[in-house]
Amino acid sequence: MDLTLFIWRQKGQQDKGRLDQYTARHISPDMSFLEMLDTVNEGLIAEGREPVAFDHDCREGICGMCSQVINGIPHGPQEKTTVCQLHMRHFRDGDTIYIEPWRAKAFPVIRDLIVDRSSLDRIIQSGGYASVHTGGVPDANAVLVPKQDVDIAMDAAECIGCGACVAACPNGAAMLFTAAKVTHLAMLPQGRVEAARRVCVMTEAMLREGFGNCSNHYECQAICPKGIKVSFIAKLNREYLKTFMGSPGCSTGE
Amino acid sequence: MILDGKSPAGPLAERWDRRRQELKLVNPANKRRYKILVVGTGLAGASAAATLGELGYTVEAFCFQDSPRRGHSIAAQGGINAAKNYPNDGDSIYRLFYDTVKGGDFRARESNVYRLAMLSNNIIDQCVAQGVPFARDYAGYLDNRSFGGAQVSRTFYARGQTGQQLLLGAYGALSRQIHAGTVRLYPRTEMLDLVVIKGQAKGITIRDLTTGAIRSHAGDAVCLCTGGYGNVFYLSTNAMGSNVTATYRAYKKGALFANPCFTQIHPTCIPVTGDHQSKLTLMSESLRNDGRVWVPKKKADERKPHEIPEDERDYFLERKYPSFGNLAPRDIASRAAKEVCDEGRGVGPGGRGVYLDFADAIQRLGKDKISERYGNLFEMYEKITAENAYERPMRIYPAPHYTMGGLWVDYNLQSNIPGLYVLGEANFSDHGANRLGASALMQGLADGYFIISYTIADYLARTGPGGASADHAEFLRSIGEVDAASKKLLSINGRRTVNDFHRELGRIMWEHVGMARGREGLELALKRIPELRGEFWSNVKVPGSGADLNQELEKAGRVADFLEFGEVMALDALLREESCGGHFRVEHQMPDGEAKRDDDNFCYVAAWEFRGIGKKPELHKEPLTFEHIPLATRSYK
Ligand SMILES: Cc1cc2nc3c(=O)[nH]c(=O)nc-3n(C[C@H](O)[C@H](O)[C@H](O)COP(=O)(O)OP(=O)(O)OC[C@H]3O[C@@H](n4cnc5c(N)ncnc54)[C@H](O)[C@@H]3O)c2cc1C
Ligand code: FES
């Protein structure tokens, strides 16, 4: 099939950027979306033009590197699917496709479709872990964990950190991302100990990095390629409230 | 030169303890005066950087992705082994050791493998403490499954995303150290050279992938944790960025490359659909626990799978290997699939596929149970192929997956260059000629969490801190060379794209240095690779400039290295006149087609020393001795 593409081109942060038009020819329905872009890029290189820069690595929906807004939807039209797992059989001959980078205040564009998501890493660095040393830990079966709790922890831990939730949110909030990490660790006895402090420092880091507030639009859940649920945001809020009851509260955090 | 692996002597179970006792320690107050450069933040690198930072060393960590959480380890699906024997089904440290040595077809060091089996249990404890949500049973205990050729259930797993969960654990530990200021992280940064001063590794030269800046980092030691080189085949299950560059450039600076021809072809991957294909997707091996592998008995059978009656199906793994059946080790299962396809009995486009059928398991256990076990894999399969594997069997075919070969290291994980350590898939150490399923994650984490901190301390204590600074002439020379190489790539302005060359190299490697290797094919590869390399350096087209983000330039550097490295691989395969593990030489097989090992002549590690581009590297041997497990023919019948 043949397609018309409008792709965001931007040289760097200083550049204003624009949508340029391209044609993709002889696209097989078995190709993935990124393979379609590879083909377009090969054509551009042959013509001596600069290929479109985009992030990707595993191409199997797990590393969270790929990040494109397709026709206004982060990761494109197919539910629970990253761009790298989206196949061209979901498009039709003659379609026009708009391809843009994640757009959020906390994700400055580096080039074309590539944005800087290190703000998400800094949220984790602030406290998104269990503070355990290497060695000196108990036997793995010493602390039992109810299966239903591990299952919820795992549902939350499946987050691939791609940032699509931020790109989809009208406020550019990282609430689903942060809530997933908070929930994953709060559900397990090993993470429970630091739960109160964790929710405080991570929430503060989120605001510091320029992410917006959550006003319950739930766009994040709708586009999340891993089906992370907004109920985790409620969990985060509960954990946050708990810190005001009996414990020091967040203001004395970091 | 005869290489010494520096294995400790004494009873197997005491060796690691003894070695630890011999190793020097660094005074806690002095640790921060030592700078350690950790290249790579997959499981091996993230666990090493976190552990070393926590001990108080000054650590710098590098990765080419935008975040350490995206290292290729993230993609591991099936699980991680440990000798916990929680199910009480007869497992032990010794059995894990035994299985690994035998599975590796007697081409790994006994001492290393035993230590790995011993440390496996600590890894699980560590990961659980970090909050890794391993699967549990209803009583709250950890669950295990049997995996890839093991007769006991020793594999711990987190749904189909074990690698992801382990890496997130290690990434958490690393993030904690970044927060504490002991580790400084350099993402979107690629190592392009190793700097060796007076015979010791003293730093690296990198390119900042965002700004294009080339600069050096000096340190007291360097740990390479840069993963495997499976992408030499172009199509593999590895991530797109996986490369040989870091290890190959260290090789060019004098590090020995061991057993490059030991590569693993994984039996269960989604078959190729066309020329546009950029990578292959693994379907976890755990599927073989419940799926049955078959092809039609008749050649070129055009019927749909459900139209083929039972007695016209050949469940070839069950037929050939009755005791292991569908769980036969990877190398064996892959070759068996290739064989039936070569006979013309393959299924799907181009006849390059076999069925992996769940009909029996669904009937026995119900669809819900199967979906609980493998739901995400079935979904992934459907996304890629548009076929529903609950209703018709999956089509699978072998694909390059893992590389047992890597930089040569001694028992302390130190390469032959003092101060250069190599961890995880990047080294050659523990898997011999074939890796068992769920053992790579185990090895990466054993290296990073539990081994390197002891062994590197000994070296550091002996050399003292602050040996080099980045204005040393060697650093300037290295920067000059890296800069010149990227200018050269940008200036050729030929007619073929980098991908085009990579694809062609991949075809040569797959055809002649792939699942079955013969003298003629290997010699042909040794002729064609240099020709292709010659064309690359005169006809490649790399657009853009070196002064900003340029993905084509990144790829060009990696493919340039593959174009040299492929030759070392083919040479190694040619000289190893035996079949063992993943290395199958068609000239060396038993009458029934099984691999024929030659312990009299090849029971050694082949470690290659760089002698110049296009020049034959020099072979060094490390003889292998087996004191505990008698050399025996591997049989899975
Ligand atoms: C699809 C798939 C499934 C798998 N499933 C399993 C499984 O179930 N069980 C199991 O035990 N094993 C499995 N494996 C194997 C296992 O995942 C890997 O062997 C292991 O994770 C490798 O870890 P590592 O830390 O050595 O390297 P990687 O995780 O590959 O990390 C390499 C790191 O090095 C960095 N890097 C590379 N080159 C450079 C450079 N030049 N400069 C700077 N940084 C660089 C990268 O950025 C990355 O951070 C699987 C592999 C694949 C491909
Ligand atoms: S490239 Fe890894 S998730 Fe898409």
Side-chain angles (χ1 to χ4, degrees), chain B residues 297-363:
Chain B
K297 283 188 177 159
K298 212 165 75 184
K299 283 187 188 172
D301 196 330
E302 298 277 300
R303 288 175 293 177
K304 297 207 168 67
H306 64 267
E307 294 166 1
I308 303 178
E310 268 308 303
D311 62 346
E312 291 179 41
R313 299 176 177 192
D314 178 13
Y315 293 90
F316 55 93
L317 288 178
E318 297 171 23
R319 171 172 59 81
K320 294 179 73 172
Y321 308 101
S323 69
F324 277 71
N326 295 295
L327 292 176
R330 292 179 177 173
D331 51 337
I332 290 181
S334 290
R335 263 197 312 277
K338 177 178 189 294
E339 238 168 63
V340 294
C341 293
D342 287 348
E343 287 165 18
R345 297 193 286 139
V347 299
R352 290 278 138 197
V354 302
Y355 289 126
L356 179 63
D357 198 335
F358 293 88
D360 285 357
I362 291 173
Q363 203 164 37

Coordinates of all heavy atoms in Angstrom, one line a residue, chain B residues 297-363:
Chain B
K297 N 4.1 -35.1 8.1 CA 5.1 -36.1 7.7 C 5.4 -36.0 6.2 O 6.4 -36.3 5.7 CB 4.4 -37.5 7.9 CG 4.5 -37.9 9.4 CD 4.1 -39.3 9.6 CE 4.3 -39.7 11.1 NZ 3.5 -40.8 11.5
K298 N 4.3 -35.5 5.5 CA 4.5 -35.4 4.0 C 5.2 -34.1 3.7 O 5.0 -33.1 4.4 CB 3.0 -35.3 3.4 CG 2.9 -35.9 2.1 CD 1.4 -36.1 1.8 CE 0.8 -34.8 1.4 NZ -0.6 -34.9 1.2
K299 N 6.0 -34.1 2.6 CA 6.7 -32.9 2.2 C 5.7 -31.9 1.6 O 4.7 -32.3 1.0 CB 7.7 -33.3 1.1 CG 8.9 -33.9 1.7 CD 10.0 -34.1 0.6 CE 11.1 -34.8 1.3 NZ 12.1 -35.3 0.4
A300 N 6.0 -30.6 1.6 CA 5.2 -29.6 1.0 C 3.7 -29.8 1.2 O 2.9 -29.7 0.2 CB 5.5 -29.5 -0.5
D301 N 3.3 -30.2 2.4 CA 1.9 -30.4 2.7 C 1.1 -29.1 2.8 O 1.5 -28.3 3.7 CB 1.8 -31.2 4.0 CG 0.4 -31.8 4.2 OD1 -0.6 -31.2 3.7 OD2 0.3 -32.8 4.9
E302 N 0.2 -28.8 1.9 CA -0.4 -27.5 1.8 C -1.7 -27.4 2.7 O -2.2 -26.3 2.9 CB -0.9 -27.2 0.4 CG 0.3 -27.1 -0.6 CD 1.0 -25.8 -0.6 OE1 0.3 -24.7 -0.9 OE2 2.2 -25.7 -0.3
R303 N -2.0 -28.5 3.4 CA -3.2 -28.5 4.2 C -3.1 -27.6 5.4 O -2.0 -27.3 5.9 CB -3.6 -29.9 4.7 CG -4.1 -30.8 3.6 CD -4.3 -32.2 4.0 NE -3.0 -32.9 4.4 CZ -3.0 -34.1 4.9 NH1 -4.1 -34.8 5.1 NH2 -1.8 -34.6 5.1
K304 N -4.2 -27.1 5.9 CA -4.2 -26.3 7.1 C -3.9 -27.2 8.3 O -4.2 -28.4 8.2 CB -5.5 -25.6 7.4 CG -5.9 -24.6 6.3 CD -6.9 -23.6 6.8 CE -7.0 -22.4 5.9 NZ -7.8 -22.9 4.6
P305 N -3.3 -26.7 9.4 CA -2.8 -27.6 10.4 C -3.9 -28.5 11.0 O -3.7 -29.7 11.2 CB -2.3 -26.7 11.5 CG -2.7 -25.3 11.1 CD -2.9 -25.3 9.6
H306 N -5.2 -28.0 11.2 CA -6.2 -28.8 11.8 C -6.7 -29.9 10.8 O -7.4 -30.9 11.2 CB -7.4 -28.0 12.3 CG -8.1 -27.3 11.3 ND1 -7.8 -26.0 10.9 CD2 -9.1 -27.6 10.5 CE1 -8.6 -25.6 9.9 NE2 -9.4 -26.6 9.6
E307 N -6.4 -29.7 9.5 CA -6.8 -30.7 8.5 C -5.9 -31.9 8.5 O -6.2 -32.9 7.8 CB -6.9 -30.1 7.1 CG -8.0 -29.0 7.0 CD -7.8 -28.2 5.7 OE1 -6.8 -28.5 4.9 OE2 -8.6 -27.3 5.5
I308 N -4.7 -31.8 9.2 CA -3.8 -32.9 9.1 C -4.0 -33.8 10.3 O -3.9 -33.4 11.4 CB -2.3 -32.3 9.1 CG1 -2.1 -31.3 8.0 CG2 -1.3 -33.5 9.1 CD1 -0.8 -30.7 7.9
P309 N -4.4 -35.1 10.0 CA -4.7 -36.0 11.1 C -3.5 -36.4 11.9 O -2.3 -36.3 11.4 CB -5.3 -37.2 10.4 CG -4.9 -37.1 8.9 CD -4.6 -35.7 8.7
E310 N -3.7 -36.8 13.1 CA -2.7 -37.1 14.1 C -1.6 -38.0 13.4 O -0.4 -37.7 13.6 CB -3.2 -37.9 15.3 CG -3.6 -37.1 16.5 CD -2.6 -36.1 17.0 OE1 -1.4 -36.5 17.3 OE2 -2.9 -34.9 17.0
D311 N -2.0 -39.0 12.8 CA -1.0 -40.0 12.3 C -0.2 -39.5 11.1 O 0.7 -40.2 10.6 CB -1.7 -41.4 12.0 CG -2.7 -41.3 10.9 OD1 -3.1 -40.1 10.6 OD2 -3.1 -42.3 10.4
E312 N -0.6 -38.3 10.6 CA 0.2 -37.7 9.5 C 1.1 -36.6 10.0 O 1.6 -35.8 9.3 CB -0.7 -37.3 8.4 CG -1.4 -38.5 7.7 CD -2.3 -38.0 6.5 OE1 -1.9 -37.1 5.8 OE2 -3.4 -38.6 6.5
R313 N 1.2 -36.5 11.3 CA 2.0 -35.5 11.9 C 3.3 -36.1 12.5 O 3.2 -37.2 13.0 CB 1.3 -34.8 13.1 CG 0.0 -34.1 12.7 CD -0.7 -33.5 13.9 NE -1.8 -32.8 13.5 CZ -2.5 -32.0 14.3 NH1 -2.1 -31.9 15.6 NH2 -3.6 -31.3 13.9
D314 N 4.4 -35.4 12.4 CA 5.6 -35.9 13.0 C 6.0 -35.0 14.2 O 6.4 -33.8 14.0 CB 6.7 -35.9 11.9 CG 8.1 -36.3 12.5 OD1 8.1 -36.8 13.6 OD2 9.1 -36.1 11.8
Y315 N 5.8 -35.5 15.4 CA 6.2 -34.7 16.6 C 7.7 -35.1 16.7 O 8.1 -35.9 17.5 CB 5.4 -35.2 17.8 CG 4.0 -34.8 17.7 CD1 3.0 -35.6 17.1 CD2 3.6 -33.5 18.2 CE1 1.7 -35.2 17.0 CE2 2.2 -33.1 18.1 CZ 1.3 -34.0 17.5 OH 0.0 -33.6 17.4
F316 N 8.5 -34.4 15.9 CA 9.9 -34.9 15.7 C 10.8 -34.8 17.0 O 11.7 -35.6 17.2 CB 10.6 -34.2 14.6 CG 10.6 -32.7 14.6 CD1 11.7 -32.0 15.2 CD2 9.5 -31.9 14.1 CE1 11.7 -30.6 15.2 CE2 9.5 -30.5 14.1 CZ 10.6 -29.9 14.7
L317 N 10.5 -33.8 17.9 CA 11.4 -33.8 19.1 C 11.0 -35.0 20.0 O 11.9 -35.6 20.6 CB 11.2 -32.5 19.8 CG 11.8 -31.3 19.2 CD1 11.5 -30.0 20.0 CD2 13.3 -31.4 19.0
E318 N 9.7 -35.2 20.1 CA 9.3 -36.4 21.0 C 9.8 -37.7 20.4 O 10.1 -38.6 21.1 CB 7.7 -36.4 21.1 CG 7.2 -35.2 21.8 CD 5.7 -35.0 21.7 OE1 5.0 -36.0 21.6 OE2 5.2 -33.9 21.9
R319 N 9.8 -37.7 19.1 CA 10.2 -39.0 18.4 C 11.7 -39.2 18.6 O 12.2 -40.3 19.0 CB 9.9 -38.9 16.9 CG 10.5 -40.0 16.0 CD 10.0 -40.0 14.6 NE 10.3 -38.7 13.9 CZ 11.5 -38.4 13.3 NH1 12.5 -39.2 13.4 NH2 11.6 -37.2 12.7
K320 N 12.5 -38.1 18.4 CA 14.0 -38.3 18.4 C 14.6 -38.3 19.8 O 15.6 -38.9 20.1 CB 14.7 -37.2 17.6 CG 14.4 -37.2 16.2 CD 15.0 -36.1 15.4 CE 16.5 -36.3 15.3 NZ 17.1 -35.2 14.4
Y321 N 13.9 -37.6 20.7 CA 14.4 -37.4 22.1 C 13.4 -37.8 23.1 O 12.9 -36.9 23.8 CB 15.0 -36.0 22.3 CG 15.9 -35.6 21.2 CD1 15.5 -34.7 20.2 CD2 17.2 -36.0 21.2 CE1 16.3 -34.4 19.2 CE2 18.1 -35.7 20.2 CZ 17.6 -34.9 19.2 OH 18.5 -34.5 18.2
P322 N 13.0 -39.1 23.2 CA 11.9 -39.5 24.0 C 12.0 -39.0 25.5 O 10.9 -38.7 26.0 CB 11.9 -41.0 23.9 CG 13.0 -41.4 23.0 CD 13.6 -40.2 22.5
S323 N 13.2 -39.0 26.1 CA 13.2 -38.6 27.5 C 13.0 -37.1 27.7 O 12.5 -36.7 28.7 CB 14.3 -39.2 28.2 OG 15.5 -38.6 27.8
F324 N 13.5 -36.3 26.8 CA 13.4 -34.8 27.0 C 12.2 -34.3 26.1 O 11.7 -33.2 26.4 CB 14.7 -34.1 26.7 CG 15.6 -34.1 27.8 CD1 16.3 -35.3 28.2 CD2 15.9 -33.0 28.5 CE1 17.1 -35.3 29.3 CE2 16.7 -33.0 29.6 CZ 17.4 -34.1 30.0
G325 N 11.9 -34.9 25.0 CA 10.9 -34.5 24.2 C 10.9 -33.1 23.7 O 12.0 -32.6 23.3
N326 N 9.8 -32.3 23.9 CA 9.8 -31.0 23.5 C 10.7 -30.0 24.3 O 10.9 -28.9 23.9 CB 8.3 -30.4 23.6 CG 7.5 -31.2 22.6 OD1 7.6 -31.1 21.4 ND2 6.5 -32.0 23.1
L327 N 11.3 -30.6 25.4 CA 12.1 -29.7 26.2 C 13.6 -30.0 25.9 O 14.5 -29.5 26.7 CB 11.9 -30.0 27.7 CG 10.5 -29.6 28.2 CD1 10.3 -30.0 29.6 CD2 10.4 -28.1 28.0
A328 N 13.9 -30.6 24.8 CA 15.3 -30.8 24.5 C 16.1 -29.5 24.4 O 15.4 -28.4 24.1 CB 15.4 -31.5 23.1
P329 N 17.4 -29.4 24.8 CA 18.1 -28.1 24.8 C 18.0 -27.4 23.5 O 17.7 -28.0 22.5 CB 19.5 -28.6 25.1 CG 19.4 -29.9 25.8 CD 18.2 -30.5 25.2
R330 N 18.3 -26.1 23.6 CA 18.1 -25.2 22.5 C 18.8 -25.6 21.2 O 18.2 -25.6 20.1 CB 18.5 -23.8 22.9 CG 17.6 -23.3 23.9 CD 18.1 -21.9 24.3 NE 17.1 -21.4 25.3 CZ 17.2 -20.3 26.0 NH1 18.3 -19.5 25.8 NH2 16.3 -19.9 26.8
D331 N 20.1 -25.9 21.4 CA 20.9 -26.2 20.1 C 20.3 -27.4 19.4 O 20.1 -27.4 18.2 CB 22.4 -26.4 20.5 CG 22.6 -27.4 21.6 OD1 21.7 -27.6 22.4 OD2 23.7 -27.9 21.7
I332 N 19.9 -28.4 20.2 CA 19.4 -29.6 19.6 C 18.0 -29.4 19.0 O 17.7 -29.8 17.9 CB 19.3 -30.7 20.8 CG1 20.8 -31.1 21.1 CG2 18.5 -31.9 20.4 CD1 20.9 -32.1 22.2
A333 N 17.1 -28.7 19.7 CA 15.8 -28.4 19.2 C 15.9 -27.6 17.9 O 15.1 -27.8 16.9 CB 14.9 -27.7 20.2
S334 N 16.8 -26.6 17.9 CA 17.0 -25.7 16.7 C 17.4 -26.5 15.5 O 16.9 -26.4 14.4 CB 18.0 -24.6 16.9 OG 17.5 -23.7 17.9
R335 N 18.4 -27.4 15.7 CA 18.9 -28.1 14.5 C 17.9 -29.1 14.0 O 17.7 -29.3 12.8 CB 20.2 -28.9 14.9 CG 21.4 -28.1 14.5 CD 22.7 -29.0 14.5 NE 22.8 -29.8 15.7 CZ 23.4 -29.4 16.9 NH1 23.8 -28.1 17.0 NH2 23.5 -30.2 17.9
A336 N 17.1 -29.7 14.9 CA 16.1 -30.6 14.5 C 15.0 -29.9 13.7 O 14.5 -30.4 12.7 CB 15.4 -31.3 15.7
A337 N 14.7 -28.6 14.0 CA 13.7 -27.9 13.2 C 14.3 -27.6 11.9 O 13.6 -27.7 10.8 CB 13.4 -26.6 14.0
K338 N 15.6 -27.2 11.8 CA 16.2 -26.9 10.5 C 16.2 -28.1 9.7 O 15.8 -28.0 8.5 CB 17.6 -26.4 10.8 CG 18.4 -26.1 9.5 CD 19.8 -25.6 9.8 CE 20.5 -25.1 8.5 NZ 20.8 -26.2 7.5
E339 N 16.5 -29.2 10.2 CA 16.5 -30.5 9.5 C 15.2 -30.8 8.8 O 15.2 -31.1 7.6 CB 16.8 -31.6 10.5 CG 18.0 -32.5 10.2 CD 18.3 -33.3 11.4 OE1 17.4 -34.2 11.7 OE2 19.4 -33.1 12.1
V340 N 14.1 -30.7 9.6 CA 12.8 -31.1 9.0 C 12.4 -30.1 7.9 O 11.8 -30.4 6.9 CB 11.7 -31.3 10.0 CG1 11.9 -32.5 10.9 CG2 11.4 -30.0 10.8
C341 N 12.8 -28.8 8.1 CA 12.6 -27.8 7.1 C 13.4 -28.0 5.8 O 13.0 -27.9 4.7 CB 12.8 -26.4 7.6 SG 11.5 -26.0 8.9
D342 N 14.7 -28.4 6.1 CA 15.6 -28.7 4.9 C 15.0 -29.9 4.1 O 15.2 -30.0 2.9 CB 17.0 -29.1 5.4 CG 17.7 -27.8 5.9 OD1 17.3 -26.7 5.6 OD2 18.8 -28.0 6.5
E343 N 14.3 -30.8 4.8 CA 13.7 -32.0 4.1 C 12.5 -31.5 3.3 O 11.9 -32.4 2.7 CB 13.3 -33.0 5.1 CG 14.4 -33.8 5.7 CD 14.0 -34.6 7.0 OE1 12.7 -34.8 7.2 OE2 14.8 -35.0 7.8
G344 N 12.1 -30.3 3.5 CA 10.9 -29.8 2.7 C 9.6 -30.0 3.5 O 8.5 -29.9 2.9
R345 N 9.7 -30.2 4.8 CA 8.5 -30.4 5.5 C 8.1 -29.2 6.4 O 7.2 -29.3 7.2 CB 8.6 -31.7 6.4 CG 8.8 -32.9 5.6 CD 8.6 -34.2 6.3 NE 9.7 -34.5 7.2 CZ 9.6 -35.0 8.4 NH1 8.4 -35.2 8.9 NH2 10.7 -35.2 9.2
G346 N 8.8 -28.1 6.2 CA 8.5 -26.9 7.0 C 7.1 -26.3 6.6 O 6.6 -26.6 5.6
V347 N 6.6 -25.5 7.5 CA 5.3 -24.9 7.2 C 5.3 -23.4 7.2 O 6.3 -22.8 7.6 CB 4.3 -25.3 8.3 CG1 4.1 -26.8 8.4 CG2 4.7 -24.8 9.7
G348 N 4.3 -22.8 6.6 CA 4.2 -21.3 6.5 C 5.0 -20.8 5.3 O 5.6 -21.6 4.6
P349 N 5.1 -19.5 5.1 CA 5.7 -18.9 4.0 C 7.1 -19.3 3.8 O 7.9 -19.3 4.8 CB 5.7 -17.4 4.3 CG 4.6 -17.2 5.3 CD 4.5 -18.5 6.1
G350 N 7.5 -19.8 2.6 CA 8.9 -20.2 2.4 C 9.2 -21.5 3.0 O 10.4 -22.0 2.9
G351 N 8.3 -22.2 3.7 CA 8.6 -23.5 4.3 C 9.6 -23.4 5.4 O 10.2 -24.4 5.8
R352 N 9.8 -22.2 6.0 CA 10.7 -22.1 7.1 C 10.0 -21.9 8.4 O 9.9 -20.8 8.9 CB 11.7 -20.9 6.8 CG 12.7 -21.1 5.7 CD 13.9 -21.9 6.2 NE 14.3 -22.9 5.2 CZ 15.1 -24.0 5.5 NH1 15.6 -24.1 6.7 NH2 15.4 -24.8 4.6
G353 N 9.4 -23.0 8.9 CA 8.7 -22.9 10.1 C 8.2 -24.3 10.6 O 8.1 -25.2 9.7
V354 N 8.0 -24.4 11.9 CA 7.4 -25.7 12.4 C 6.3 -25.2 13.3 O 6.2 -24.1 13.8 CB 8.4 -26.5 13.1 CG1 9.6 -26.9 12.2 CG2 8.9 -25.8 14.4
Y355 N 5.3 -26.2 13.6 CA 4.2 -25.8 14.5 C 4.6 -26.0 15.9 O 5.3 -27.0 16.3 CB 3.0 -26.7 14.1 CG 2.3 -26.3 12.8 CD1 2.1 -27.3 11.9 CD2 1.9 -25.0 12.6 CE1 1.5 -27.0 10.7 CE2 1.3 -24.7 11.4 CZ 1.1 -25.7 10.4 OH 0.5 -25.4 9.2
L356 N 4.1 -25.1 16.8 CA 4.1 -25.3 18.2 C 2.7 -25.3 18.7 O 2.0 -24.3 18.6 CB 4.9 -24.2 18.9 CG 5.0 -24.2 20.4 CD1 5.8 -25.4 20.8 CD2 5.8 -22.9 20.9
D357 N 2.2 -26.5 19.0 CA 0.8 -26.7 19.1 C 0.3 -26.8 20.6 O 0.8 -27.6 21.3 CB 0.4 -28.0 18.4 CG -1.0 -28.1 18.0 OD1 -1.8 -27.5 18.7 OD2 -1.3 -28.8 17.0
F358 N -0.7 -26.0 20.9 CA -1.2 -26.0 22.3 C -2.5 -26.8 22.5 O -3.1 -26.8 23.5 CB -1.4 -24.6 22.8 CG 0.0 -23.9 22.9 CD1 0.5 -23.3 21.9 CD2 0.7 -24.0 24.1 CE1 1.8 -22.7 22.0 CE2 1.9 -23.5 24.2 CZ 2.5 -22.8 23.1
A359 N -3.0 -27.4 21.4 CA -4.4 -28.0 21.4 C -4.5 -29.0 22.6 O -5.4 -28.9 23.3 CB -4.7 -28.7 20.1
D360 N -3.5 -29.8 22.7 CA -3.5 -30.9 23.8 C -3.6 -30.2 25.2 O -4.3 -30.6 26.1 CB -2.3 -31.8 23.7 CG -2.4 -32.8 22.6 OD1 -3.5 -32.7 21.9 OD2 -1.5 -33.5 22.4
A361 N -2.7 -29.2 25.4 CA -2.6 -28.5 26.7 C -3.9 -27.8 27.0 O -4.4 -27.8 28.1 CB -1.4 -27.6 26.7
I362 N -4.5 -27.2 26.0 CA -5.8 -26.5 26.2 C -6.8 -27.5 26.6 O -7.6 -27.3 27.5 CB -6.2 -25.7 25.0 CG1 -5.2 -24.5 24.8 CG2 -7.6 -25.2 25.1 CD1 -5.4 -23.7 23.6
Q363 N -6.8 -28.7 26.0 CA -7.8 -29.7 26.3 C -7.6 -30.2 27.7 O -8.5 -30.4 28.5 CB -7.7 -30.8 25.3 CG -8.9 -31.6 25.2 CD -8.9 -32.5 24.0 OE1 -7.9 -33.0 23.6 NE2 -10.1 -32.7 23.3

